mmCIF file of all heavy atoms in Angstrom:
data_model
loop_
_atom_site.group_PDB
_atom_site.id
_atom_site.type_symbol
_atom_site.label_atom_id
_atom_site.label_comp_id
_atom_site.label_asym_id
_atom_site.label_seq_id
_atom_site.Cartn_x
_atom_site.Cartn_y
_atom_site.Cartn_z
ATOM 1 N N LEU A 101 -13.983 -16.525 9.971
ATOM 2 C CA LEU A 101 -12.578 -16.486 9.589
ATOM 3 C C LEU A 101 -11.747 -15.780 10.652
ATOM 4 O O LEU A 101 -10.603 -16.159 10.924
ATOM 5 C CB LEU A 101 -12.436 -15.775 8.237
ATOM 6 C CG LEU A 101 -11.106 -15.950 7.499
ATOM 7 C CD1 LEU A 101 -10.783 -17.427 7.287
ATOM 8 C CD2 LEU A 101 -11.147 -15.229 6.155
ATOM 9 N N LEU A 102 -12.341 -14.765 11.279
ATOM 10 C CA LEU A 102 -11.673 -14.070 12.384
ATOM 11 C C LEU A 102 -11.432 -15.024 13.546
ATOM 12 O O LEU A 102 -10.330 -15.060 14.117
ATOM 13 C CB LEU A 102 -12.526 -12.887 12.833
ATOM 14 C CG LEU A 102 -12.064 -12.125 14.078
ATOM 15 C CD1 LEU A 102 -10.683 -11.528 13.883
ATOM 16 C CD2 LEU A 102 -13.085 -11.026 14.428
ATOM 17 N N LYS A 103 -12.441 -15.830 13.891
ATOM 18 C CA LYS A 103 -12.289 -16.784 14.988
ATOM 19 C C LYS A 103 -11.237 -17.840 14.644
ATOM 20 O O LYS A 103 -10.433 -18.247 15.500
ATOM 21 C CB LYS A 103 -13.627 -17.457 15.286
ATOM 22 C CG LYS A 103 -14.705 -16.501 15.798
ATOM 23 C CD LYS A 103 -14.280 -15.812 17.091
ATOM 24 C CE LYS A 103 -15.372 -14.902 17.618
ATOM 25 N NZ LYS A 103 -14.938 -14.154 18.828
ATOM 26 N N THR A 105 -8.665 -17.441 12.608
ATOM 27 C CA THR A 105 -7.345 -16.797 12.656
ATOM 28 C C THR A 105 -6.866 -16.646 14.097
ATOM 29 O O THR A 105 -5.701 -16.921 14.407
ATOM 30 C CB THR A 105 -7.408 -15.421 11.969
ATOM 31 O OG1 THR A 105 -7.904 -15.573 10.632
ATOM 32 C CG2 THR A 105 -6.028 -14.783 11.919
ATOM 33 N N ALA A 106 -7.766 -16.203 14.973
ATOM 34 C CA ALA A 106 -7.398 -16.039 16.387
ATOM 35 C C ALA A 106 -7.039 -17.378 17.015
ATOM 36 O O ALA A 106 -6.066 -17.482 17.776
ATOM 37 C CB ALA A 106 -8.550 -15.378 17.142
ATOM 38 N N MET A 107 -7.804 -18.426 16.693
ATOM 39 C CA MET A 107 -7.515 -19.749 17.232
ATOM 40 C C MET A 107 -6.151 -20.237 16.745
ATOM 41 O O MET A 107 -5.381 -20.840 17.497
ATOM 42 C CB MET A 107 -8.607 -20.737 16.821
ATOM 43 C CG MET A 107 -8.446 -22.124 17.435
ATOM 44 S SD MET A 107 -9.948 -23.137 17.335
ATOM 45 C CE MET A 107 -10.151 -23.285 15.561
ATOM 46 N N SER A 108 -5.841 -19.951 15.469
ATOM 47 C CA SER A 108 -4.539 -20.337 14.919
ATOM 48 C C SER A 108 -3.406 -19.626 15.658
ATOM 49 O O SER A 108 -2.426 -20.246 16.076
ATOM 50 C CB SER A 108 -4.469 -20.005 13.423
ATOM 51 O OG SER A 108 -5.491 -20.653 12.705
ATOM 52 N N ARG A 109 -3.562 -18.290 15.813
ATOM 53 C CA ARG A 109 -2.503 -17.507 16.445
ATOM 54 C C ARG A 109 -2.287 -17.944 17.893
ATOM 55 O O ARG A 109 -1.151 -18.199 18.325
ATOM 56 C CB ARG A 109 -2.847 -16.019 16.386
ATOM 57 C CG ARG A 109 -1.819 -15.115 17.068
ATOM 58 C CD ARG A 109 -2.200 -13.645 16.972
ATOM 59 N NE ARG A 109 -3.527 -13.385 17.490
ATOM 60 C CZ ARG A 109 -3.818 -13.268 18.791
ATOM 61 N NH1 ARG A 109 -2.856 -13.387 19.700
ATOM 62 N NH2 ARG A 109 -5.060 -13.018 19.182
ATOM 63 N N ILE A 110 -3.369 -18.040 18.656
ATOM 64 C CA ILE A 110 -3.248 -18.390 20.080
ATOM 65 C C ILE A 110 -2.668 -19.785 20.245
ATOM 66 O O ILE A 110 -1.771 -20.030 21.073
ATOM 67 C CB ILE A 110 -4.615 -18.278 20.769
ATOM 68 C CG1 ILE A 110 -5.075 -16.814 20.773
ATOM 69 C CG2 ILE A 110 -4.552 -18.821 22.191
ATOM 70 C CD1 ILE A 110 -6.503 -16.626 21.238
ATOM 71 N N GLU A 123 3.550 -13.948 14.026
ATOM 72 C CA GLU A 123 2.482 -13.569 14.946
ATOM 73 C C GLU A 123 1.867 -12.238 14.536
ATOM 74 O O GLU A 123 0.646 -12.046 14.606
ATOM 75 C CB GLU A 123 3.019 -13.487 16.374
ATOM 76 C CG GLU A 123 1.937 -13.209 17.403
ATOM 77 C CD GLU A 123 2.459 -13.230 18.831
ATOM 78 O OE1 GLU A 123 3.668 -13.533 19.008
ATOM 79 O OE2 GLU A 123 1.681 -12.941 19.751
ATOM 80 N N THR A 124 2.696 -11.316 14.066
ATOM 81 C CA THR A 124 2.190 -10.018 13.611
ATOM 82 C C THR A 124 1.301 -10.175 12.393
ATOM 83 O O THR A 124 0.280 -9.490 12.262
ATOM 84 C CB THR A 124 3.367 -9.080 13.282
ATOM 85 O OG1 THR A 124 4.135 -8.863 14.461
ATOM 86 C CG2 THR A 124 2.865 -7.744 12.754
ATOM 87 N N ARG A 125 1.673 -11.091 11.474
ATOM 88 C CA ARG A 125 0.839 -11.335 10.292
ATOM 89 C C ARG A 125 -0.574 -11.746 10.709
ATOM 90 O O ARG A 125 -1.567 -11.223 10.197
ATOM 91 C CB ARG A 125 1.445 -12.439 9.425
ATOM 92 C CG ARG A 125 2.638 -12.031 8.607
ATOM 93 C CD ARG A 125 2.862 -13.050 7.506
ATOM 94 N NE ARG A 125 4.236 -12.975 7.018
ATOM 95 C CZ ARG A 125 5.123 -13.950 7.141
ATOM 96 N NH1 ARG A 125 4.806 -15.072 7.737
ATOM 97 N NH2 ARG A 125 6.353 -13.805 6.667
ATOM 98 N N LEU A 126 -0.671 -12.705 11.616
ATOM 99 C CA LEU A 126 -1.984 -13.197 12.032
ATOM 100 C C LEU A 126 -2.763 -12.118 12.777
ATOM 101 O O LEU A 126 -3.972 -11.966 12.596
ATOM 102 C CB LEU A 126 -1.827 -14.445 12.888
ATOM 103 C CG LEU A 126 -1.332 -15.697 12.157
ATOM 104 C CD1 LEU A 126 -1.061 -16.833 13.142
ATOM 105 C CD2 LEU A 126 -2.338 -16.137 11.110
ATOM 106 N N ALA A 127 -2.077 -11.355 13.623
ATOM 107 C CA ALA A 127 -2.747 -10.278 14.353
ATOM 108 C C ALA A 127 -3.260 -9.214 13.380
ATOM 109 O O ALA A 127 -4.355 -8.662 13.566
ATOM 110 C CB ALA A 127 -1.788 -9.658 15.374
ATOM 111 N N THR A 128 -2.471 -8.926 12.339
ATOM 112 C CA THR A 128 -2.895 -7.956 11.327
ATOM 113 C C THR A 128 -4.126 -8.459 10.589
ATOM 114 O O THR A 128 -5.065 -7.692 10.319
ATOM 115 C CB THR A 128 -1.759 -7.692 10.323
ATOM 116 O OG1 THR A 128 -0.625 -7.156 11.018
ATOM 117 C CG2 THR A 128 -2.197 -6.706 9.248
ATOM 118 N N LEU A 129 -4.141 -9.750 10.255
ATOM 119 C CA LEU A 129 -5.300 -10.320 9.574
ATOM 120 C C LEU A 129 -6.542 -10.205 10.457
ATOM 121 O O LEU A 129 -7.639 -9.926 9.956
ATOM 122 C CB LEU A 129 -5.030 -11.778 9.211
ATOM 123 C CG LEU A 129 -6.146 -12.508 8.458
ATOM 124 C CD1 LEU A 129 -6.527 -11.772 7.182
ATOM 125 C CD2 LEU A 129 -5.726 -13.938 8.151
ATOM 126 N N GLU A 130 -6.389 -10.411 11.756
ATOM 127 C CA GLU A 130 -7.522 -10.260 12.672
ATOM 128 C C GLU A 130 -8.069 -8.831 12.621
ATOM 129 O O GLU A 130 -9.289 -8.618 12.608
ATOM 130 C CB GLU A 130 -7.097 -10.616 14.092
ATOM 131 C CG GLU A 130 -6.801 -12.093 14.306
ATOM 132 C CD GLU A 130 -6.278 -12.377 15.709
ATOM 133 O OE1 GLU A 130 -6.840 -11.826 16.680
ATOM 134 O OE2 GLU A 130 -5.307 -13.148 15.835
ATOM 135 N N THR A 131 -7.174 -7.859 12.573
ATOM 136 C CA THR A 131 -7.595 -6.458 12.503
ATOM 137 C C THR A 131 -8.353 -6.178 11.216
ATOM 138 O O THR A 131 -9.403 -5.517 11.219
ATOM 139 C CB THR A 131 -6.373 -5.531 12.607
ATOM 140 O OG1 THR A 131 -5.692 -5.768 13.842
ATOM 141 C CG2 THR A 131 -6.789 -4.069 12.534
ATOM 142 N N VAL A 132 -7.835 -6.681 10.100
ATOM 143 C CA VAL A 132 -8.482 -6.484 8.800
ATOM 144 C C VAL A 132 -9.865 -7.131 8.783
ATOM 145 O O VAL A 132 -10.849 -6.534 8.327
ATOM 146 C CB VAL A 132 -7.607 -7.051 7.664
ATOM 147 C CG1 VAL A 132 -8.362 -7.042 6.338
ATOM 148 C CG2 VAL A 132 -6.309 -6.255 7.535
ATOM 149 N N LEU A 133 -9.975 -8.352 9.293
ATOM 150 C CA LEU A 133 -11.254 -9.062 9.284
ATOM 151 C C LEU A 133 -12.278 -8.376 10.179
ATOM 152 O O LEU A 133 -13.473 -8.308 9.838
ATOM 153 C CB LEU A 133 -11.047 -10.508 9.724
ATOM 154 C CG LEU A 133 -10.294 -11.399 8.733
ATOM 155 C CD1 LEU A 133 -9.935 -12.738 9.375
ATOM 156 C CD2 LEU A 133 -11.113 -11.623 7.467
ATOM 157 N N THR A 134 -11.836 -7.863 11.317
ATOM 158 C CA THR A 134 -12.730 -7.126 12.205
ATOM 159 C C THR A 134 -13.297 -5.903 11.498
ATOM 160 O O THR A 134 -14.501 -5.605 11.581
ATOM 161 C CB THR A 134 -11.994 -6.703 13.488
ATOM 162 O OG1 THR A 134 -11.516 -7.866 14.172
ATOM 163 C CG2 THR A 134 -12.911 -5.917 14.410
ATOM 164 N N ARG A 135 -12.444 -5.213 10.759
ATOM 165 C CA ARG A 135 -12.866 -4.015 10.023
ATOM 166 C C ARG A 135 -13.835 -4.394 8.900
ATOM 167 O O ARG A 135 -14.871 -3.731 8.697
ATOM 168 C CB ARG A 135 -11.628 -3.321 9.463
ATOM 169 C CG ARG A 135 -11.870 -1.921 8.895
ATOM 170 C CD ARG A 135 -12.029 -0.908 9.997
ATOM 171 N NE ARG A 135 -12.186 0.439 9.484
ATOM 172 C CZ ARG A 135 -11.163 1.283 9.269
ATOM 173 N NH1 ARG A 135 -9.925 0.899 9.548
ATOM 174 N NH2 ARG A 135 -11.391 2.503 8.821
ATOM 175 N N LEU A 167 0.831 -8.617 5.868
ATOM 176 C CA LEU A 167 0.659 -10.070 5.843
ATOM 177 C C LEU A 167 1.730 -10.744 5.001
ATOM 178 O O LEU A 167 2.002 -11.941 5.157
ATOM 179 C CB LEU A 167 -0.718 -10.431 5.281
ATOM 180 C CG LEU A 167 -1.927 -9.897 6.045
ATOM 181 C CD1 LEU A 167 -3.212 -10.295 5.342
ATOM 182 C CD2 LEU A 167 -1.936 -10.417 7.469
#
Side-chain angles (χ1 to χ4, degrees):
L101 195 56
L102 174 60
K103 296 300 182 184
T105 305
M107 185 164 63
S108 302
R109 178 180 55 80
I110 294 171
E123 185 176 356
T124 298
R125 284 197 201 115
L126 291 173
T128 299
L129 181 56
E130 291 176 44
T131 301
V132 171
L133 290 170
T134 300
R135 191 76 177 269
L167 300 178

